[in-house]
Amino acid sequence: MKTELYKALAMGALAGMRSLAAPALLSSALQENPQGGLSGTPLAFLQNKYVAYALTGLAATELLGDKLPVAPDRIILPSLLMRAGSGAVVGAAIFAGSYKSMTKGALAGASAAVAATYASFYLRKFLSDKTEIADPVLGMLEDTLVLGAGLKAAKA
């Protein structure tokens, strides 16, 4: 259970930073390596290659949209709910894939997503205010962190 918990927390945290990256990376990993525990659950669709492609496309648009000056803060309620929901989905899928409680996985993923949403928001704001690094550059660094950590966590 520890492995699933750590993975759900990691992927949930990534969902807090980039809401669609976590499900896209997990779906891509699952379609390459399906998990028997997901069969027959409402989340079995994540193992479909077309779902993985669609989520990857949506995640790419999110990465681009984050750099726009009109992008809303990630801590506004609709954005926070999306990130929590995304964390819940990846957490539930990770637990279900190992025949564990989807509810516990969803709670772990959503909690990590909410915590990471606030932590990454205030860290980025602090770095933007206290350094010479332009906000879009900070966003690209955040993207790199999310993609690198997400690729590793999704395949773990």
Side-chain angles (χ1 to χ4, degrees):
M1 171 114 143
K2 282 186 180 180
T3 303
E4 293 84 12
L5 178 60
Y6 295 145
K7 187 172 178 179
L9 291 171
M11 293 301 288
L14 297 174
M17 296 170 75
R18 294 287 180 271
S19 62
L20 294 171
L25 291 165
L26 184 63
S27 184
S28 292
L30 288 171
Q31 68 95 33
E32 292 173 8
N33 186 22
Q35 301 295 301
L38 276 175
S39 299
T41 73
L43 299 176
F45 71 92
L46 289 172
Q47 299 183 115
N48 181 292
K49 69 180 177 180
Y50 299 111
V51 170
Y53 297 153
L55 287 171
T56 299
L58 290 169
T61 61
E62 180 184 24
L63 294 179
L64 295 173
D66 175 65
K67 311 306 173 288
L68 300 175
V70 296
D73 287 342
R74 67 185 77 188
I75 60 171
I76 64 169
L77 187 59
S79 181
L80 186 61
L81 291 174
M82 174 66 179
R83 292 164 194 275
S86 178
V89 167
V90 296
I94 290 164
F95 270 57
S98 296
Y99 302 96
K100 307 282 188 230
S101 167
M102 288 177 60
T103 302
K104 288 180 183 177
L107 288 171
S111 298
V114 170
T117 297
Y118 282 100
S120 61
F121 174 79
Y122 287 110
L123 177 61
R124 185 163 162 186
K125 189 171 181 57
F126 174 81
L127 291 172
S128 181
D129 292 345
K130 301 294 183 187
T131 69
E132 300 289 322
I133 304 171
D135 189 62
V137 173
L138 291 171
M140 287 188 283
L141 292 171
E142 188 176 358
D143 295 342
T144 303
L145 173 66
V146 169
L147 293 174
L151 286 168
K152 185 168 178 136
K155 294 182 188 226

